Amino acid sequence: MSQSLRLPPLPALRAFESAARQLSFTEAAHELHITQGAVSRQVRTLEQFLGVRLFDRFTRRIELTEKGRNYFCVVQDSLCNIEQATKLTMGDAHRRITLDVLPTLCTLWLMPLLQEFTEAHPQIELRIDSSLDPVDFRSHQADVAIRVGRLPGRQYPADAPRIDLDLAQSWKDVQADFLFPDVLVPVMSRKLLSQGRPVESAADVLHYRLIHTANRKHAWADWLAQHRLGSPARAPSLDFGHFFMAIRAAKDCKGIAIVPKIFLESILVDAEMVCPFDSQLESAGAYYMLTRQSCANDLAVQQTRRWILSVANRFSDRAEAVPGA
């Protein structure tokens, strides 16, 4: 028979994990609904139990020691595994899953589908967050995320359109499922096209104002370079912060926006917008769904994952045919 386990107190582990993740006793106190002093006492209890210093304490900040960083990784994984095992043991009767999605993808692609998910999985409540930041599962704020970017270690064509976003802060314990490629296409108002010069080739887009999006600042330059057309500086331009803003400007006849092809089904549905010139140029990266590998036995996470994969496959099939002008 094995010897009994020698484990530190669970409250001390929880206080340490929260403080280490946020590098703040104050934030840990807010998260755990206890005082900052209580967090500090719990951490000191843990340090006394271990016989090592876990944090370097400064006047206005704390930092993990080397042993603290190593211990944090193990403690965080262990607490996550205990949490998942607890949910499974309790029957997983009702779960809230936090899904973190890129803003425009959330509006144009995901939101119209949520009723379908609810009907298929009434026991799962989807909480939707929206962000462009690399997902950080260490914060415990997201269960599933959808991002666009490059997979680490994968080789991409040097001349492929760039993606200025990262998928994840850390790849430890992260599983990435491919959803669809990032293919950039021009879109514009049908009214503007009818009033201006025809767009019969890639070069013809330069007769119009080019609408840029801040988080994909190289999109037009790389698209034009792929068509051997040089710099977008040859055409007047407008700049917006997000794709949905650029799309709105294009709909208002401000110029031509360049957007991911996956948005076209929603953009072209009212016939006010057209894709004047089709393109099949894939970017150096793609859209991926990210989950924790340690959640492989979490039924609610896996049901959410399988549903997203199924709708991504449906949309990818339909996106092969792009309505033209």
Side-chain angles (χ1 to χ4, degrees), residues 41-323:
R41 287 192 295 274
Q42 292 288 359
V43 171
R44 289 199 180 278
T45 296
L46 182 59
E47 289 177 322
Q48 292 169 1
F49 181 91
L50 297 172
V52 300
R53 191 176 74 256
L54 299 172
F55 290 100
D56 287 324
R57 294 161 172 84
F58 302 95
T59 303
R60 297 184 181 277
R61 61 188 173 88
I62 57 173
E63 292 182 1
L64 285 163
T65 63
E66 182 179 356
K67 289 186 177 180
R69 286 192 297 271
N70 294 335
Y71 194 58
F72 168 62
C73 291
V74 176
V75 168
Q76 187 176 53
D77 287 347
S78 299
L79 290 177
C80 181
N81 290 335
I82 292 171
E83 179 186 34
Q84 299 305 327
T86 300
K87 291 172 181 176
L88 290 171
T89 302
M90 294 174 67
D92 214 23
H94 180 81
R95 286 288 308 283
R96 171 182 287 183
I97 296 294
T98 299
L99 174 57
D100 193 331
V101 189
L102 298 162
T104 305
L105 188 69
C106 181
T107 301
L108 297 183
W109 182 71
L110 179 66
M111 296 303 288
L113 300 169
L114 289 185
Q115 184 62 33
E116 174 187 328
F117 178 85
T118 300
E119 292 174 356
H121 303 288
Q123 80 283 5
I124 301 175
E125 176 187 350
L126 271 188
R127 179 180 181 272
I128 307 299
D129 281 347
S130 180
S131 175
L132 291 167
D133 295 333
V135 68
D136 184 3
F137 286 124
R138 296 169 299 181
S139 70
H140 287 186
Q141 293 177 352
D143 300 292
V144 181
I146 299 178
R147 292 290 188 271
V148 63
R150 302 161 62 102
L151 282 181
R154 175 164 294 185
Q155 296 297 314
Y156 297 91
D159 60 347
R162 290 163 283 182
I163 297 177
D164 307 307
L165 298 168
D166 294 322
L167 294 167
Q169 288 274 9
S170 169
W171 285 94
K172 179 179 174 60
D173 192 36
V174 175
Q175 174 177 333
D177 290 297
F178 173 83
L179 294 180
F180 25 75
D182 181 68
V183 176
L184 298 174
V185 293
V187 293
M188 64 187 302
S189 162
R190 188 179 296 274
K191 179 181 178 181
L192 179 62
L193 181 61
S194 68
Q195 295 173 345
R197 297 179 62 169
V199 179
E200 298 173 346
S201 69
D204 292 331
V205 304
L206 294 172
H207 298 310
Y208 294 86
R209 182 185 288 115
L210 302 183
I211 300 174
H212 298 264
T213 304
N215 56 67
R216 300 292 292 276
K217 60 184 178 182
H218 301 296
W220 267 122
D222 291 347
W223 190 88
L224 292 170
Q226 283 274 352
H227 290 90
R228 298 177 175 82
L229 293 172
S231 170
R234 294 168 52 189
S237 64
L238 282 176
D239 295 272
F240 292 92
H242 295 279
F243 277 127
F244 62 82
M245 299 176 183
I247 293 166
R248 179 72 253 182
K251 190 172 184 178
D252 291 340
C253 299
K254 303 298 184 183
I256 301 182
I258 187 165
V259 302
K261 193 173 182 178
I262 193 64
F263 298 160
L264 286 189
E265 185 165 317
S266 294
I267 293 173
L268 305 183
V269 68
D270 60 3
E272 291 185 45
M273 302 280 285
V274 294
C275 177
F277 185 80
D278 191 8
S279 172
Q280 299 299 327
L281 301 175
E282 292 191 15
S283 300
Y287 286 85
Y288 292 92
M289 174 174 50
L290 306 176
T291 53
R292 296 184 184 89
Q293 292 175 347
S294 56
C295 289
N297 294 322
D298 187 315
L299 180 60
V301 170
Q302 294 307 314
Q303 287 177 329
T304 305
R305 173 177 169 267
R306 287 192 293 269
W307 177 78
I308 292 173
L309 287 173
S310 69
V311 295
N313 288 335
R314 297 202 314 257
F315 271 74
S316 294
D317 291 340
R318 294 204 296 271
E320 291 303 315
V322 179

